[in-house]
Amino acid sequence: MTGHDHTHSHHDHDHHDDRWKHDGVRVIPGNQLDTNVPSTAGMDRAAAINFARVGAQKLWAGTVSIKPDAKTGAHHHGHLESVIYVVKGKARMRWGESLQFTAEAGPGDFIFVPPYVPHQEINASPDEVLECVLVRSDGEAVAINLDIEPVEKPETVLWVDPIHRDPSEKK
């Protein structure tokens, strides 16, 4: 006696195999992501997993890259939860009604953004692209750009070090 239960016919087996053939596991090559997604200034988003591409109902996943010394506009993602995984570079997050809170994350770190939280992603490196993987809790992308006056003017939050002077000093 083998470990197989043969109470179903071979014909059923074929049917089941076919059922998952085009509706089962999907591989989305990294060079075939969809860049036609809601955009936020300063940020390049690309969708890998969403409703339009693979029929995902409850998840959106893709990549985000932010150029050196760049930052996004303030935004939130409505009712969606977001998870950001930093692949490369140095991320600085600002959040709050006036973007008054800040935290940094590096490669291997995860960032969680709850629904409706106003936030801004910043590339805290002057010379390395910030590359992240992004996952959201719905198959449709939502990005609501906000007109927030930060607690300080954005130029004063730039990285001031011996090489990169504060732009407000350049008169």
Side-chain angles (χ1 to χ4, degrees), residues 84-107:
I84 301 166
Y85 174 77
V86 182
V87 175
K88 183 181 176 194
K90 185 175 178 188
R92 179 176 298 136
M93 299 292 290
R94 295 183 66 190
W95 71 94
E97 293 298 326
S98 308
L99 302 179
Q100 67 268 45
F101 307 112
T102 184
E104 294 197 351

Side-chain angles (χ1 to χ4, degrees), residues 3-161:
H4 288 67
D5 177 2
H6 286 292
T7 53
H8 58 272
S9 73
H10 183 67
H11 182 267
D12 282 346
H13 227 341
D14 291 342
H15 174 69
H16 283 301
D17 289 349
D18 289 347
R19 184 174 64 146
W20 298 122
K21 183 172 182 179
H22 298 294
D23 214 9
V25 174
R26 303 280 290 275
V27 173
I28 293 85
N31 61 0
Q32 293 176 26
L33 304 191
D34 180 6
T35 54
N36 185 24
V37 295
S39 66
T40 296
M43 170 180 264
D44 293 320
R45 292 193 187 103
I49 310 296
N50 61 13
F51 181 75
R53 298 200 74 186
V54 299
Q57 303 280 339
K58 299 177 181 174
L59 286 174
W60 185 101
T63 59
V64 168
S65 66
I66 302 180
K67 294 174 183 61
D69 262 348
K71 59 172 73 72
T72 70
H75 61 283
H76 70 73
H77 300 288
H79 65 286
L80 307 184
E81 294 180 328
S82 300
V83 172
I84 301 166
Y85 174 77
V86 182
V87 175
K88 183 181 176 194
K90 185 175 178 188
R92 179 176 298 136
M93 299 292 290
R94 295 183 66 190
W95 71 94
E97 293 298 326
S98 308
L99 302 179
Q100 67 268 45
F101 307 112
T102 184
E104 294 197 351
D109 294 343
F110 286 83
I111 301 164
F112 174 66
V113 183
Y116 300 106
V117 174
H119 62 284
Q120 174 187 50
E121 285 96 346
I122 299 168
N123 182 339
S125 166
D127 48 26
E128 187 178 25
V129 173
L130 172 62
E131 294 179 7
C132 303
V133 172
L134 173 57
V135 179
R136 294 215 193 92
S137 59
D138 194 293
E140 298 290 350
V142 177
I144 291 114
N145 295 313
L146 303 171
D147 192 9
I148 286 181
E149 188 64 37
V151 279
E152 2 24 352
K153 290 279 186 255
E155 23 317 346
T156 62
V157 293
L158 287 186
W159 307 266
V160 181
D161 61 37

